[in-house]
Amino acid sequence: RAAEAMVEEGMEALIALRATNGRVEMSALNAEERELVKFYSGAADTWQQVCLVLSGSAAGCDAVALNRPLAMRADAKLSALLLNGASGSVYDDAFIERFRRAFGSQAAVYIGGPDAQGAPALVVHGFDLPGASELSPGTRIYTGGVEAAVEGVLDGTYSPLDFRWFIGKHSGVGGSRG
């Protein structure tokens, strides 16, 4: 609470000094003031996020936010983005179309975090599929297995909502980055 109060006081003082017609121009701020605004904005973006930790080390952990939904369907463009990322070519057009048929009308797509948003999406689920790996032994929480997930949804073994797709992640949480 003390840190929250300090940041709020700093923002109120900054607005009182630098605002014109209720707006603050970033170019009018000094480096310290810009850093405060960036910190405040970043805190607002992550307020009350619930994250699944994917991996951890002394350098920090990687995690995805579970409560930042983005889409409930996957059209052709989103399907390609989920499978190949912003500039990749992991999967061909035929597989992207199979994915769209599997997840086009129902999909659970989330913003996992601000890092690696250009990479292919991460799929999280509860099935020991070919190509999938368990996060930690005994958790029955798996990542990967994209091809088996698509085929399983298409053949009716699984529901599209049995799978969660995450664009981006939080990297280095708790490490030197914070």
Side-chain angles (χ1 to χ4, degrees), residues 2-178:
E4 184 179 330
M6 183 179 81
V7 170
E8 293 228 6
E9 286 174 15
M11 288 299 295
E12 288 171 4
L14 185 139
I15 290 168
L17 288 172
R18 304 286 190 180
T20 304
N21 296 326
R23 298 184 61 113
V24 176
E25 287 294 324
M26 289 294 282
S27 60
L29 304 178
N30 64 39
E32 189 176 274
E33 292 166 335
R34 281 193 302 273
E35 188 66 26
L36 177 64
V37 171
K38 279 178 53 180
F39 176 77
Y40 187 79
S41 176
D45 289 344
T46 59
W47 176 251
Q48 295 187 336
Q49 278 191 358
V50 176
C51 291
L52 172 67
V53 176
L54 303 171
S55 63
S57 70
C61 65
D62 288 348
V64 290
L66 299 175
N67 59 337
R68 296 295 188 252
L70 173 68
M72 298 293 291
R73 294 176 185 76
D75 63 11
K77 187 174 180 178
L78 182 57
S79 296
L81 179 68
L82 292 171
L83 292 172
N84 292 331
S87 60
S89 58
V90 179
Y91 294 98
D92 63 17
D93 290 343
F95 188 78
I96 292 170
E97 176 56 25
R98 290 184 65 71
F99 180 94
R100 191 201 54 76
R101 284 200 329 260
F103 294 96
S105 63
Q106 276 192 317
V109 182
Y110 298 83
I111 296 294
D115 304 314
Q117 287 191 348
L122 175 73
V123 62
V124 177
H125 51 85
F127 308 104
D128 189 7
L129 302 175
S133 57
E134 195 170 17
L135 279 183
S136 184
T139 62
R140 296 178 54 195
I141 300 172
Y142 298 87
T143 62
V146 171
E147 296 89 353
V150 169
E151 297 310 319
V153 170
L154 289 174
D155 72 18
T157 303
Y158 308 112
S159 163
L161 298 180
D162 287 335
F163 301 89
R164 301 292 188 254
W165 300 89
F166 294 90
I167 297 173
K169 63 182 178 179
H170 292 275
S171 296
V173 177
S176 61
R177 181 179 152 191

